Amino acid sequence: MLKGKKVILGITGSIAAYKSATIVRLLVKAGAEVKVIMTPAAVGFIAPLTLSTLSKNEVLSALSENETWSNHVMLGRWADVMLLAPLSCNTLSKMAHGTCDNLLMAVYLSATCPVVVAPAMDEDMWLHPSTKANIETIRSYGNKVIPVNNGELASGLIGAGRMAEPEEIIHWLEIFFNQEKDLSGKKVLVSAGPTYEAIDPVRFIGNHSSGKMGIAIAEECFQRGASVTLVLGPTHEKVNGNISITNVTSAQQMYDACLSEFETSDIAIMCAAVADYAPVNPASEKIKKSESPLHIELKNTPDILKTLGQLKKPGQLVAGFALETNNERENALKKLQSKNADMIVLNSLQDAGAGFGHPTNKITIFDKSGKEYRFDTKLKTAIAADIINTLINIAHA
Ligand code: CTP
């Protein structure tokens, strides 16, 4: 299961770093390729020579060495997984706050692969509210945390905070890589984010969509083995995973990009908050302020979901969203029908913790057979899994 996997092992300054040699040995034995990156503090706990010998690769620890710059972006893209073991309290805090003061942090911040951490620290540090908050923060970024063990600690005290044993860490990774890849072989098209419709070169008509929900769906599909194309409106949100991204600005561009991908897609999930209207004649120069009111003539933009619903061939699945502020159920069911979708995900702006910009969402799904699936308020990453599970159930029904 770990055969052929590319692993970056990040080692930080903790006494548990001596166990990293065993982690490298077990990973290599299982057939993985390992590249080790150490923080400057880790070098005091275990010799890089031990790790380079075991990993059969050069051990990296500085952003530049011998006048040569280490390409942290390519390292982060090379790996199938980045494992930080042991993860010290200090590096945990840096991960939570985006501090970039060494090579390991630079690779972490630019990594597109899943990141797994095995924390190690004394019990008082582990139980401190700031550590708990930092763990929750890195979890909310999508990082996975291998639970700590109870036992003898560096301080001589007995308690929680011991790093999971190397064998446990390897077992955890094996389970992680063996997760069901139920979308393997499938091509999924996802639209996400807002669209901006130009009024003139500096102004636009847009909306508050952050793209978080659609990005979480694209990442979930990728994790489950799909080949994913994400057509993404303007956003600053980061996308993890090997996902093909087409950046667009306007509804027309999003329409063109989605249509060119749809024919070869098995599943299309239209999550974007597409502007329904665009200025008929965007001005080529900045419109100057005047005393009289400004009238902008608007035209309808193409309805992407509706077009895909019309073009849909047997075997293709199309899902859409309905963002409603009133008559939610009725409006969602209308959209399901008028857009010929297989499934509509309703989120109501009436629900606390749902809608634009929130890390959480609360949804109800309707399918063509009239079934209704209700879900509690959850993180958008967990909602994404619910949506994909429901879509797969509908496909098999
Ligand atoms: N949608 C689309 N293209 C558009 C408008 C909407 O693909 N031009 C998709 C959205 O991505 C979403 C679904 O249609 O999956 C519903 O979007 P929503 O804004 O809720 O509904 P509209 O069809 O725009 O209708 P209204 O704004 O009147 O509620």
PDB file of all heavy atoms in Angstrom, residues 191 251 254-255 269-277 301-308 319-324 331 335 338-339 344-345, ligand 1:
ATOM      1  N   SER A 191     -17.739  23.540 -10.767  1.00  0.00           N
ATOM      2  CA  SER A 191     -17.603  25.008 -10.879  1.00  0.00           C
ATOM      3  C   SER A 191     -17.690  25.585  -9.473  1.00  0.00           C
ATOM      4  O   SER A 191     -18.390  25.053  -8.613  1.00  0.00           O
ATOM      5  CB  SER A 191     -18.704  25.605 -11.762  1.00  0.00           C
ATOM      6  OG  SER A 191     -19.941  25.642 -11.076  1.00  0.00           O
ATOM      7  N   ALA A 251     -19.276  35.105 -16.199  1.00  0.00           N
ATOM      8  CA  ALA A 251     -20.206  33.975 -16.392  1.00  0.00           C
ATOM      9  C   ALA A 251     -19.995  33.352 -17.776  1.00  0.00           C
ATOM     10  O   ALA A 251     -20.014  32.127 -17.925  1.00  0.00           O
ATOM     11  CB  ALA A 251     -21.639  34.464 -16.249  1.00  0.00           C
ATOM     12  N   MET A 254     -16.991  31.220 -17.702  1.00  0.00           N
ATOM     13  CA  MET A 254     -17.259  29.999 -16.936  1.00  0.00           C
ATOM     14  C   MET A 254     -18.095  29.022 -17.786  1.00  0.00           C
ATOM     15  O   MET A 254     -17.840  27.826 -17.818  1.00  0.00           O
ATOM     16  CB  MET A 254     -17.986  30.354 -15.639  1.00  0.00           C
ATOM     17  CG  MET A 254     -18.123  29.191 -14.694  1.00  0.00           C
ATOM     18  SD  MET A 254     -18.745  29.683 -13.085  1.00  0.00           S
ATOM     19  CE  MET A 254     -17.254  30.033 -12.184  1.00  0.00           C
ATOM     20  N   TYR A 255     -19.052  29.583 -18.512  1.00  0.00           N
ATOM     21  CA  TYR A 255     -19.896  28.781 -19.411  1.00  0.00           C
ATOM     22  C   TYR A 255     -19.033  28.082 -20.463  1.00  0.00           C
ATOM     23  O   TYR A 255     -19.121  26.871 -20.670  1.00  0.00           O
ATOM     24  CB  TYR A 255     -20.921  29.717 -20.071  1.00  0.00           C
ATOM     25  CG  TYR A 255     -21.810  29.090 -21.116  1.00  0.00           C
ATOM     26  CD1 TYR A 255     -23.004  28.472 -20.762  1.00  0.00           C
ATOM     27  CD2 TYR A 255     -21.471  29.146 -22.475  1.00  0.00           C
ATOM     28  CE1 TYR A 255     -23.839  27.914 -21.728  1.00  0.00           C
ATOM     29  CE2 TYR A 255     -22.294  28.589 -23.444  1.00  0.00           C
ATOM     30  CZ  TYR A 255     -23.478  27.969 -23.061  1.00  0.00           C
ATOM     31  OH  TYR A 255     -24.287  27.417 -24.012  1.00  0.00           O
ATOM     32  N   ILE A 269     -20.657  19.049 -11.144  1.00  0.00           N
ATOM     33  CA  ILE A 269     -21.246  19.621  -9.930  1.00  0.00           C
ATOM     34  C   ILE A 269     -21.088  21.135 -10.019  1.00  0.00           C
ATOM     35  O   ILE A 269     -19.976  21.662  -9.932  1.00  0.00           O
ATOM     36  CB  ILE A 269     -20.566  19.066  -8.656  1.00  0.00           C
ATOM     37  CG1 ILE A 269     -20.587  17.534  -8.680  1.00  0.00           C
ATOM     38  CG2 ILE A 269     -21.262  19.591  -7.398  1.00  0.00           C
ATOM     39  CD1 ILE A 269     -19.752  16.873  -7.593  1.00  0.00           C
ATOM     40  N   MET A 270     -22.194  21.804 -10.253  1.00  0.00           N
ATOM     41  CA  MET A 270     -22.141  23.254 -10.462  1.00  0.00           C
ATOM     42  C   MET A 270     -22.410  23.960  -9.137  1.00  0.00           C
ATOM     43  O   MET A 270     -23.540  24.042  -8.666  1.00  0.00           O
ATOM     44  CB  MET A 270     -23.187  23.661 -11.520  1.00  0.00           C
ATOM     45  CG  MET A 270     -22.912  23.111 -12.909  1.00  0.00           C
ATOM     46  SD  MET A 270     -21.386  23.781 -13.657  1.00  0.00           S
ATOM     47  CE  MET A 270     -20.249  22.435 -13.393  1.00  0.00           C
ATOM     48  N   CYS A 271     -21.330  24.449  -8.580  1.00  0.00           N
ATOM     49  CA  CYS A 271     -21.385  25.014  -7.240  1.00  0.00           C
ATOM     50  C   CYS A 271     -21.200  26.530  -7.275  1.00  0.00           C
ATOM     51  O   CYS A 271     -21.371  27.210  -6.268  1.00  0.00           O
ATOM     52  CB  CYS A 271     -20.238  24.356  -6.471  1.00  0.00           C
ATOM     53  SG  CYS A 271     -20.386  24.457  -4.747  1.00  0.00           S
ATOM     54  N   ALA A 272     -20.833  27.047  -8.438  1.00  0.00           N
ATOM     55  CA  ALA A 272     -20.497  28.478  -8.526  1.00  0.00           C
ATOM     56  C   ALA A 272     -21.712  29.367  -8.311  1.00  0.00           C
ATOM     57  O   ALA A 272     -22.840  28.975  -8.619  1.00  0.00           O
ATOM     58  CB  ALA A 272     -19.877  28.771  -9.891  1.00  0.00           C
ATOM     59  N   ALA A 273     -21.453  30.548  -7.780  1.00  0.00           N
ATOM     60  CA  ALA A 273     -22.494  31.569  -7.650  1.00  0.00           C
ATOM     61  C   ALA A 273     -22.364  32.460  -8.885  1.00  0.00           C
ATOM     62  O   ALA A 273     -21.624  33.451  -8.884  1.00  0.00           O
ATOM     63  CB  ALA A 273     -22.291  32.368  -6.380  1.00  0.00           C
ATOM     64  N   VAL A 274     -23.035  32.034  -9.957  1.00  0.00           N
ATOM     65  CA  VAL A 274     -22.879  32.720 -11.246  1.00  0.00           C
ATOM     66  C   VAL A 274     -23.783  33.954 -11.273  1.00  0.00           C
ATOM     67  O   VAL A 274     -24.953  33.877 -10.893  1.00  0.00           O
ATOM     68  CB  VAL A 274     -23.278  31.770 -12.399  1.00  0.00           C
ATOM     69  CG1 VAL A 274     -22.933  32.374 -13.746  1.00  0.00           C
ATOM     70  CG2 VAL A 274     -22.649  30.397 -12.229  1.00  0.00           C
ATOM     71  N   ALA A 275     -23.230  35.076 -11.725  1.00  0.00           N
ATOM     72  CA  ALA A 275     -24.062  36.278 -11.854  1.00  0.00           C
ATOM     73  C   ALA A 275     -25.139  36.005 -12.895  1.00  0.00           C
ATOM     74  O   ALA A 275     -24.852  35.433 -13.953  1.00  0.00           O
ATOM     75  CB  ALA A 275     -23.194  37.461 -12.285  1.00  0.00           C
ATOM     76  N   ASP A 276     -26.375  36.382 -12.593  1.00  0.00           N
ATOM     77  CA  ASP A 276     -27.462  36.136 -13.543  1.00  0.00           C
ATOM     78  C   ASP A 276     -27.528  37.211 -14.622  1.00  0.00           C
ATOM     79  O   ASP A 276     -28.137  37.005 -15.668  1.00  0.00           O
ATOM     80  CB  ASP A 276     -28.801  36.079 -12.798  1.00  0.00           C
ATOM     81  CG  ASP A 276     -28.903  34.821 -11.948  1.00  0.00           C
ATOM     82  OD1 ASP A 276     -28.333  33.792 -12.370  1.00  0.00           O
ATOM     83  OD2 ASP A 276     -29.519  34.866 -10.867  1.00  0.00           O
ATOM     84  N   TYR A 277     -26.918  38.380 -14.339  1.00  0.00           N
ATOM     85  CA  TYR A 277     -26.950  39.487 -15.306  1.00  0.00           C
ATOM     86  C   TYR A 277     -25.556  40.085 -15.496  1.00  0.00           C
ATOM     87  O   TYR A 277     -24.773  40.125 -14.549  1.00  0.00           O
ATOM     88  CB  TYR A 277     -27.878  40.606 -14.812  1.00  0.00           C
ATOM     89  CG  TYR A 277     -29.311  40.165 -14.652  1.00  0.00           C
ATOM     90  CD1 TYR A 277     -29.788  39.765 -13.409  1.00  0.00           C
ATOM     91  CD2 TYR A 277     -30.176  40.143 -15.746  1.00  0.00           C
ATOM     92  CE1 TYR A 277     -31.106  39.350 -13.258  1.00  0.00           C
ATOM     93  CE2 TYR A 277     -31.487  39.729 -15.606  1.00  0.00           C
ATOM     94  CZ  TYR A 277     -31.945  39.332 -14.354  1.00  0.00           C
ATOM     95  OH  TYR A 277     -33.240  38.916 -14.219  1.00  0.00           O
ATOM     96  N   THR A 301     -27.106  36.299 -18.342  1.00  0.00           N
ATOM     97  CA  THR A 301     -25.924  35.477 -18.650  1.00  0.00           C
ATOM     98  C   THR A 301     -26.417  34.072 -18.998  1.00  0.00           C
ATOM     99  O   THR A 301     -27.556  33.723 -18.663  1.00  0.00           O
ATOM    100  CB  THR A 301     -25.002  35.390 -17.423  1.00  0.00           C
ATOM    101  OG1 THR A 301     -25.768  34.879 -16.337  1.00  0.00           O
ATOM    102  CG2 THR A 301     -24.413  36.737 -17.060  1.00  0.00           C
ATOM    103  N   PRO A 302     -25.606  33.262 -19.662  1.00  0.00           N
ATOM    104  CA  PRO A 302     -26.068  31.893 -19.956  1.00  0.00           C
ATOM    105  C   PRO A 302     -26.187  31.086 -18.664  1.00  0.00           C
ATOM    106  O   PRO A 302     -25.372  31.259 -17.754  1.00  0.00           O
ATOM    107  CB  PRO A 302     -24.959  31.327 -20.843  1.00  0.00           C
ATOM    108  CG  PRO A 302     -23.785  32.208 -20.670  1.00  0.00           C
ATOM    109  CD  PRO A 302     -24.268  33.545 -20.194  1.00  0.00           C
ATOM    110  N   ASP A 303     -27.206  30.229 -18.562  1.00  0.00           N
ATOM    111  CA  ASP A 303     -27.372  29.367 -17.382  1.00  0.00           C
ATOM    112  C   ASP A 303     -26.581  28.078 -17.631  1.00  0.00           C
ATOM    113  O   ASP A 303     -26.969  27.243 -18.459  1.00  0.00           O
ATOM    114  CB  ASP A 303     -28.852  29.071 -17.153  1.00  0.00           C
ATOM    115  CG  ASP A 303     -29.078  28.410 -15.797  1.00  0.00           C
ATOM    116  OD1 ASP A 303     -28.239  27.565 -15.412  1.00  0.00           O
ATOM    117  OD2 ASP A 303     -30.072  28.738 -15.143  1.00  0.00           O
ATOM    118  N   ILE A 304     -25.468  27.952 -16.952  1.00  0.00           N
ATOM    119  CA  ILE A 304     -24.545  26.833 -17.217  1.00  0.00           C
ATOM    120  C   ILE A 304     -25.180  25.505 -16.812  1.00  0.00           C
ATOM    121  O   ILE A 304     -25.208  24.545 -17.587  1.00  0.00           O
ATOM    122  CB  ILE A 304     -23.207  27.051 -16.453  1.00  0.00           C
ATOM    123  CG1 ILE A 304     -22.655  28.432 -16.763  1.00  0.00           C
ATOM    124  CG2 ILE A 304     -22.201  25.966 -16.813  1.00  0.00           C
ATOM    125  CD1 ILE A 304     -21.548  28.901 -15.838  1.00  0.00           C
ATOM    126  N   LEU A 305     -25.708  25.458 -15.583  1.00  0.00           N
ATOM    127  CA  LEU A 305     -26.298  24.207 -15.093  1.00  0.00           C
ATOM    128  C   LEU A 305     -27.431  23.748 -16.002  1.00  0.00           C
ATOM    129  O   LEU A 305     -27.521  22.564 -16.360  1.00  0.00           O
ATOM    130  CB  LEU A 305     -26.805  24.425 -13.655  1.00  0.00           C
ATOM    131  CG  LEU A 305     -27.520  23.255 -13.000  1.00  0.00           C
ATOM    132  CD1 LEU A 305     -26.617  22.038 -12.889  1.00  0.00           C
ATOM    133  CD2 LEU A 305     -28.015  23.642 -11.603  1.00  0.00           C
ATOM    134  N   LYS A 306     -28.270  24.688 -16.404  1.00  0.00           N
ATOM    135  CA  LYS A 306     -29.411  24.336 -17.262  1.00  0.00           C
ATOM    136  C   LYS A 306     -28.921  23.775 -18.599  1.00  0.00           C
ATOM    137  O   LYS A 306     -29.451  22.786 -19.103  1.00  0.00           O
ATOM    138  CB  LYS A 306     -30.264  25.590 -17.488  1.00  0.00           C
ATOM    139  CG  LYS A 306     -31.598  25.307 -18.099  1.00  0.00           C
ATOM    140  CD  LYS A 306     -32.455  26.538 -18.050  1.00  0.00           C
ATOM    141  CE  LYS A 306     -33.827  26.198 -18.639  1.00  0.00           C
ATOM    142  NZ  LYS A 306     -34.731  27.307 -18.526  1.00  0.00           N
ATOM    143  N   THR A 307     -27.882  24.398 -19.149  1.00  0.00           N
ATOM    144  CA  THR A 307     -27.343  23.925 -20.434  1.00  0.00           C
ATOM    145  C   THR A 307     -26.782  22.507 -20.276  1.00  0.00           C
ATOM    146  O   THR A 307     -27.039  21.643 -21.127  1.00  0.00           O
ATOM    147  CB  THR A 307     -26.234  24.875 -20.939  1.00  0.00           C
ATOM    148  OG1 THR A 307     -26.728  26.195 -20.881  1.00  0.00           O
ATOM    149  CG2 THR A 307     -25.808  24.545 -22.353  1.00  0.00           C
ATOM    150  N   LEU A 308     -26.044  22.262 -19.198  1.00  0.00           N
ATOM    151  CA  LEU A 308     -25.480  20.920 -18.995  1.00  0.00           C
ATOM    152  C   LEU A 308     -26.615  19.914 -18.806  1.00  0.00           C
ATOM    153  O   LEU A 308     -26.549  18.785 -19.301  1.00  0.00           O
ATOM    154  CB  LEU A 308     -24.535  20.891 -17.787  1.00  0.00           C
ATOM    155  CG  LEU A 308     -23.319  21.825 -17.809  1.00  0.00           C
ATOM    156  CD1 LEU A 308     -22.344  21.471 -16.688  1.00  0.00           C
ATOM    157  CD2 LEU A 308     -22.585  21.796 -19.142  1.00  0.00           C
ATOM    158  N   ALA A 319     -25.251  17.806 -10.981  1.00  0.00           N
ATOM    159  CA  ALA A 319     -25.756  18.288  -9.693  1.00  0.00           C
ATOM    160  C   ALA A 319     -25.599  19.793  -9.609  1.00  0.00           C
ATOM    161  O   ALA A 319     -24.644  20.365 -10.146  1.00  0.00           O
ATOM    162  CB  ALA A 319     -24.985  17.630  -8.549  1.00  0.00           C
ATOM    163  N   GLY A 320     -26.546  20.435  -8.944  1.00  0.00           N
ATOM    164  CA  GLY A 320     -26.471  21.884  -8.788  1.00  0.00           C
ATOM    165  C   GLY A 320     -26.775  22.296  -7.368  1.00  0.00           C
ATOM    166  O   GLY A 320     -27.119  21.464  -6.522  1.00  0.00           O
ATOM    167  N   PHE A 321     -26.660  23.566  -7.128  1.00  0.00           N
ATOM    168  CA  PHE A 321     -26.948  24.130  -5.811  1.00  0.00           C
ATOM    169  C   PHE A 321     -28.126  25.090  -5.927  1.00  0.00           C
ATOM    170  O   PHE A 321     -28.407  25.617  -7.005  1.00  0.00           O
ATOM    171  CB  PHE A 321     -25.724  24.899  -5.285  1.00  0.00           C
ATOM    172  CG  PHE A 321     -24.757  24.017  -4.563  1.00  0.00           C
ATOM    173  CD1 PHE A 321     -24.021  23.072  -5.259  1.00  0.00           C
ATOM    174  CD2 PHE A 321     -24.592  24.122  -3.198  1.00  0.00           C
ATOM    175  CE1 PHE A 321     -23.131  22.243  -4.595  1.00  0.00           C
ATOM    176  CE2 PHE A 321     -23.704  23.304  -2.517  1.00  0.00           C
ATOM    177  CZ  PHE A 321     -22.977  22.358  -3.211  1.00  0.00           C
ATOM    178  N   ALA A 322     -28.796  25.309  -4.826  1.00  0.00           N
ATOM    179  CA  ALA A 322     -29.818  26.341  -4.773  1.00  0.00           C
ATOM    180  C   ALA A 322     -29.563  27.137  -3.501  1.00  0.00           C
ATOM    181  O   ALA A 322     -29.597  26.578  -2.408  1.00  0.00           O
ATOM    182  CB  ALA A 322     -31.208  25.720  -4.753  1.00  0.00           C
ATOM    183  N   LEU A 323     -29.254  28.391  -3.678  1.00  0.00           N
ATOM    184  CA  LEU A 323     -29.039  29.259  -2.513  1.00  0.00           C
ATOM    185  C   LEU A 323     -30.288  30.108  -2.381  1.00  0.00           C
ATOM    186  O   LEU A 323     -30.601  30.880  -3.279  1.00  0.00           O
ATOM    187  CB  LEU A 323     -27.802  30.129  -2.733  1.00  0.00           C
ATOM    188  CG  LEU A 323     -27.508  31.082  -1.584  1.00  0.00           C
ATOM    189  CD1 LEU A 323     -27.055  30.326  -0.357  1.00  0.00           C
ATOM    190  CD2 LEU A 323     -26.443  32.080  -1.988  1.00  0.00           C
ATOM    191  N   GLU A 324     -31.016  29.899  -1.305  1.00  0.00           N
ATOM    192  CA  GLU A 324     -32.317  30.549  -1.184  1.00  0.00           C
ATOM    193  C   GLU A 324     -32.426  31.325   0.120  1.00  0.00           C
ATOM    194  O   GLU A 324     -31.772  30.996   1.110  1.00  0.00           O
ATOM    195  CB  GLU A 324     -33.444  29.484  -1.223  1.00  0.00           C
ATOM    196  CG  GLU A 324     -33.399  28.562  -2.431  1.00  0.00           C
ATOM    197  CD  GLU A 324     -33.659  29.269  -3.756  1.00  0.00           C
ATOM    198  OE1 GLU A 324     -34.210  30.384  -3.745  1.00  0.00           O
ATOM    199  OE2 GLU A 324     -33.291  28.717  -4.810  1.00  0.00           O
ATOM    200  N   ASN A 331     -38.472  26.392  -4.033  1.00  0.00           N
ATOM    201  CA  ASN A 331     -37.554  26.935  -5.048  1.00  0.00           C
ATOM    202  C   ASN A 331     -36.496  25.912  -5.461  1.00  0.00           C
ATOM    203  O   ASN A 331     -36.144  25.810  -6.643  1.00  0.00           O
ATOM    204  CB  ASN A 331     -36.851  28.187  -4.518  1.00  0.00           C
ATOM    205  CG  ASN A 331     -37.781  29.382  -4.502  1.00  0.00           C
ATOM    206  OD1 ASN A 331     -38.714  29.436  -5.293  1.00  0.00           O
ATOM    207  ND2 ASN A 331     -37.538  30.309  -3.607  1.00  0.00           N
ATOM    208  N   LYS A 335     -35.845  24.312  -9.203  1.00  0.00           N
ATOM    209  CA  LYS A 335     -34.549  24.337  -9.896  1.00  0.00           C
ATOM    210  C   LYS A 335     -34.152  22.933 -10.345  1.00  0.00           C
ATOM    211  O   LYS A 335     -33.612  22.754 -11.434  1.00  0.00           O
ATOM    212  CB  LYS A 335     -33.459  24.939  -8.994  1.00  0.00           C
ATOM    213  CG  LYS A 335     -33.511  26.451  -9.002  1.00  0.00           C
ATOM    214  CD  LYS A 335     -32.507  27.109  -8.101  1.00  0.00           C
ATOM    215  CE  LYS A 335     -32.887  28.584  -7.968  1.00  0.00           C
ATOM    216  NZ  LYS A 335     -32.203  29.286  -6.936  1.00  0.00           N
ATOM    217  N   SER A 338     -36.374  22.443 -13.487  1.00  0.00           N
ATOM    218  CA  SER A 338     -36.156  23.331 -14.641  1.00  0.00           C
ATOM    219  C   SER A 338     -34.755  23.172 -15.225  1.00  0.00           C
ATOM    220  O   SER A 338     -34.529  23.417 -16.394  1.00  0.00           O
ATOM    221  CB  SER A 338     -36.394  24.787 -14.250  1.00  0.00           C
ATOM    222  OG  SER A 338     -35.381  25.200 -13.359  1.00  0.00           O
ATOM    223  N   LYS A 339     -33.800  22.725 -14.390  1.00  0.00           N
ATOM    224  CA  LYS A 339     -32.428  22.594 -14.892  1.00  0.00           C
ATOM    225  C   LYS A 339     -32.087  21.147 -15.243  1.00  0.00           C
ATOM    226  O   LYS A 339     -30.939  20.841 -15.580  1.00  0.00           O
ATOM    227  CB  LYS A 339     -31.443  23.148 -13.864  1.00  0.00           C
ATOM    228  CG  LYS A 339     -31.778  24.609 -13.494  1.00  0.00           C
ATOM    229  CD  LYS A 339     -30.636  25.347 -12.884  1.00  0.00           C
ATOM    230  CE  LYS A 339     -31.095  26.703 -12.365  1.00  0.00           C
ATOM    231  NZ  LYS A 339     -30.103  27.753 -12.539  1.00  0.00           N
ATOM    232  N   ILE A 344     -30.169  18.397  -6.380  1.00  0.00           N
ATOM    233  CA  ILE A 344     -29.976  19.818  -6.020  1.00  0.00           C
ATOM    234  C   ILE A 344     -29.632  19.897  -4.540  1.00  0.00           C
ATOM    235  O   ILE A 344     -30.274  19.246  -3.709  1.00  0.00           O
ATOM    236  CB  ILE A 344     -31.250  20.652  -6.321  1.00  0.00           C
ATOM    237  CG1 ILE A 344     -31.345  20.984  -7.806  1.00  0.00           C
ATOM    238  CG2 ILE A 344     -31.302  21.936  -5.499  1.00  0.00           C
ATOM    239  CD1 ILE A 344     -30.507  22.153  -8.307  1.00  0.00           C
ATOM    240  N   VAL A 345     -28.593  20.662  -4.246  1.00  0.00           N
ATOM    241  CA  VAL A 345     -28.170  20.859  -2.857  1.00  0.00           C
ATOM    242  C   VAL A 345     -28.684  22.233  -2.427  1.00  0.00           C
ATOM    243  O   VAL A 345     -28.284  23.253  -2.992  1.00  0.00           O
ATOM    244  CB  VAL A 345     -26.627  20.842  -2.742  1.00  0.00           C
ATOM    245  CG1 VAL A 345     -26.201  20.992  -1.292  1.00  0.00           C
ATOM    246  CG2 VAL A 345     -26.050  19.571  -3.352  1.00  0.00           C
TER     247      VAL A 345
HETATM  248  N1  CTP B   1     -26.150  28.461 -12.247  1.00  0.00           N
HETATM  249  C1  CTP B   1     -25.449  28.348 -13.424  1.00  0.00           C
HETATM  250  N2  CTP B   1     -25.434  29.364 -14.315  1.00  0.00           N
HETATM  251  C2  CTP B   1     -26.096  30.508 -14.058  1.00  0.00           C
HETATM  252  C3  CTP B   1     -26.824  30.646 -12.842  1.00  0.00           C
HETATM  253  C4  CTP B   1     -26.816  29.601 -11.953  1.00  0.00           C
HETATM  254  O1  CTP B   1     -24.825  27.300 -13.649  1.00  0.00           O
HETATM  255  N3  CTP B   1     -26.073  31.495 -14.930  1.00  0.00           N
HETATM  256  C5  CTP B   1     -26.164  27.308 -11.331  1.00  0.00           C
HETATM  257  C6  CTP B   1     -25.475  27.532 -10.012  1.00  0.00           C
HETATM  258  O2  CTP B   1     -24.124  27.147 -10.085  1.00  0.00           O
HETATM  259  C7  CTP B   1     -26.277  26.620  -9.093  1.00  0.00           C
HETATM  260  C8  CTP B   1     -27.673  26.652  -9.686  1.00  0.00           C
HETATM  261  O3  CTP B   1     -27.520  27.073 -11.029  1.00  0.00           O
HETATM  262  O4  CTP B   1     -25.817  25.283  -9.158  1.00  0.00           O
HETATM  263  C9  CTP B   1     -28.648  27.539  -8.992  1.00  0.00           C
HETATM  264  O5  CTP B   1     -28.109  28.840  -8.837  1.00  0.00           O
HETATM  265  P1  CTP B   1     -28.939  29.961  -8.083  1.00  0.00           P
HETATM  266  O6  CTP B   1     -28.173  31.238  -8.131  1.00  0.00           O
HETATM  267  O7  CTP B   1     -29.408  29.439  -6.758  1.00  0.00           O
HETATM  268  O8  CTP B   1     -30.235  30.046  -8.986  1.00  0.00           O
HETATM  269  P2  CTP B   1     -30.564  30.772 -10.313  1.00  0.00           P
HETATM  270  O9  CTP B   1     -30.827  29.736 -11.355  1.00  0.00           O
HETATM  271  O10 CTP B   1     -29.559  31.817 -10.656  1.00  0.00           O
HETATM  272  O11 CTP B   1     -31.967  31.436  -9.939  1.00  0.00           O
HETATM  273  P3  CTP B   1     -32.278  32.602  -8.856  1.00  0.00           P
HETATM  274  O12 CTP B   1     -31.044  33.475  -8.811  1.00  0.00           O
HETATM  275  O13 CTP B   1     -33.472  33.276  -9.420  1.00  0.00           O
HETATM  276  O14 CTP B   1     -32.568  31.913  -7.549  1.00  0.00           O
END
